[in-house]
Amino acid sequence: MKVDVVRNVLQANDLVANECRKRFREADTLTLNLISAPGSGKTTLLEKTIPALKPAFESIVIVGDLETTRDADRLEPFAHQVVQINTGMSCHLYANQVSQSLDGLSLASSQFLFIENVGNMVCPGEFDLGENLKVILYSVPEGDDKVAKYPTIFRVADLVLLTKADLLSTLAFDLERVREEIARLNTNVPILPFSAHTGQGMHEWLTWLRARREEGLAQAAKFVTEPLT
Amino acid sequence: MPIMHEFSIAESLVEQIVDITAENNLPAIDRVELEVGELRQVVPDILQLAFRETARGTPAEGAALMIEEVSARAQCRRCTRFFRPAPLDYSCPACGVADVQVLAGNALILKSVEANEPTGLVIP
């Protein structure tokens, strides 16, 4: 017996993600999904960003890692609330993990929700968490050949933060090559050199964040899975 | 378990098959048809391995996974031209800008599941 179904394989995740997005909109909280390789500076970015957004804006962080609460411990002093999700052997966050975390959070008390995804350049791009925007961190020490290796994530990015940019003058990193390869995938995405060490790009990053909040929360991030037509 | 996106996909796929099996009161599944867009960069052999491992202990255990690859198709938002993007190049052949609506090639669609019919059992 054959059953014809025609279902999006990731449908279960996408339905929960849409529920999350609705809750973010109702709470008036702009949600960003931070995606990068391990060690690119996601937690350090948040350590610098969250205090700089105060007092105008409060932030909540949901952070995913395979193990430990190290990132949550680092962010606790800065964020209004922090939730650590341990994913065990899973290399990305699922929407239902975010959904469950929301039950213990007072979303409406914060204007920004940062989801620090598990360090991974592949799978997080495929799983909608209900976010409004995707920010990709790409650190200079990773080398200038990563765009072509992980194209999906650059294609759906709303902003590429080129972190540890103070090392551009030290390392052989061809910034033009990176710009060209990103432009072939996603011409309109801004690429912002950023250094938590020197403060380079901090002003532009904060300006970008505030501008996205001004634009409102109606938008959904781009996804690799297009809706079934 | 290796950390690869084929495993995440296989996990979601098996969950769906388990649901469909329950909804339709099916016995064990022996054939599954899956449509995979070429832009997903799925490695068929790894997906087969991931499916075989993930399906263990579920009604999908031992089922044959038939993977059909679908070509990419996109429309340029700038100049409205239709074209076939490559995994590393989404720029429009007409205007050179990579700002597209992907129309095909990104999907992961479960198309059908087929249950084996045990000999001697007549399904009304």
Side-chain angles (χ1 to χ4, degrees):
Chain A
M1 181 178 155
K2 185 173 171 182
V3 181
D4 292 316
V5 280
V6 189
R7 286 196 196 174
N8 178 349
V9 170
L10 306 181
Q11 172 182 266
N13 184 76
D14 292 351
L15 291 174
V16 180
N18 282 333
E19 284 300 308
C20 291
R21 193 161 13 252
K22 203 171 142 225
R23 288 171 77 175
F24 300 148
R25 193 165 51 237
E26 282 165 4
D28 192 30
T29 305
L30 186 73
T31 301
L32 297 97
N33 190 352
L34 305 185
I35 300 173
S36 77
S40 61
K42 293 185 292 298
T43 310
T44 303
L45 174 73
L46 292 178
E47 282 177 330
K48 302 280 180 182
T49 303
I50 294 167
L53 286 169
K54 287 179 185 176
F57 302 111
E58 287 291 341
S59 304
I60 291 175
V61 181
I62 295 174
V63 53
D65 281 297
L66 270 61
E67 295 292 346
T68 82
T69 59
R70 285 180 185 174
D71 285 355
D73 294 342
R74 280 173 61 185
L75 294 169
E76 184 99 66
F78 306 105
H80 184 61
Q81 286 176 306
V82 187
V83 178
Q84 175 85 50
I85 297 172
N86 283 143
T87 59
M89 286 309 285
S90 178
C91 55
H92 61 90
L93 289 171
Y94 286 95
N96 63 357
Q97 292 171 317
V98 172
S99 172
Q100 283 161 18
S101 305
L102 294 182
D103 296 338
L105 293 170
S106 54
L107 264 191
S109 64
S110 290
Q111 291 71 45
F112 285 98
L113 168 61
F114 295 100
I115 302 175
E116 184 183 327
N117 219 311
V118 179
N120 177 346
M121 296 277 262
V122 186
C123 309
E126 301 193 326
F127 288 82
D128 185 359
L129 303 179
E131 71 266 27
N132 304 108
L133 298 159
K134 280 186 172 65
V135 177
I136 311 307
L137 282 74
Y138 175 10
S139 74
V140 171
E142 290 167 50
D144 55 20
D145 62 345
K146 292 300 174 288
V147 178
K149 289 184 176 179
Y150 305 100
T152 304
I153 206 63
F154 289 97
R155 192 172 82 69
V156 296
D158 294 288
L159 174 71
V160 177
L161 276 182
L162 193 68
T163 57
K164 312 188 189 185
D166 50 299
L167 296 173
L168 278 171
S169 55
T170 316
L171 302 174
F173 186 97
D174 188 346
L175 183 54
E176 268 320 292
R177 175 192 186 181
V178 167
R179 285 190 190 280
E180 279 167 24
E181 289 188 348
I182 292 178
R184 279 202 288 274
L185 294 167
N186 187 354
T187 304
N188 298 329
V189 67
I191 302 166
L192 179 61
F194 179 92
S195 167
H197 186 58
T198 65
Q200 178 190 354
M202 190 67 190
H203 176 73
E204 292 82 351
W205 158 239
L206 293 173
T207 304
W208 184 87
L209 280 176
R210 292 188 193 108
R212 297 293 82 75
R213 242 209 90 78
E214 287 288 305
E215 276 176 8
L217 309 170
Q219 61 185 322
K222 287 187 277 184
F223 283 94
V224 288
T225 318
E226 311 284 331
L228 273 179
T229 47
Chain B
M1 186 192 272
I3 293 176
M4 281 181 283
H5 79 146
E6 282 83 358
F7 276 85
S8 301
I9 291 167
E11 207 173 90
S12 302
L13 176 62
V14 170
E15 273 173 33
Q16 293 247 351
I17 295 169
V18 169
D19 288 349
I20 292 162
T21 307
E23 284 162 22
N24 295 281
N25 275 321
L26 297 177
I29 302 301
D30 68 352
R31 198 166 184 272
V32 175
E33 283 182 313
L34 180 71
E35 199 179 284
V36 177
E38 64 173 343
L39 299 170
R40 301 297 297 215
Q41 297 191 292
V42 163
V43 182
D45 284 353
I46 298 179
L47 184 56
Q48 291 285 4
L49 169 75
F51 177 73
R52 207 160 55 231
E53 292 298 320
T54 314
R56 203 165 279 173
T58 77
E61 180 167 349
L65 178 63
M66 317 306 290
I67 300 175
E68 185 199 341
E69 207 173 63
V70 175
S71 301
R73 190 166 162 75
Q75 183 174 24
C76 178
R77 287 200 176 102
R78 191 76 59 95
C79 76
T80 72
R81 161 104 173 232
F82 291 94
F83 66 102
R84 182 184 178 180
L88 293 181
D89 194 351
Y90 281 69
S91 59
C92 169
C95 73
V97 169
D99 182 9
V100 301
Q101 175 73 39
V102 173
L103 305 170
N106 260 330
L108 281 173
I109 307 291
L110 173 57
K111 291 182 76 178
S112 72
V113 297
E114 215 173 314
N116 48 18
E117 289 157 34
T119 46
L121 179 72
V122 179
I123 296 174

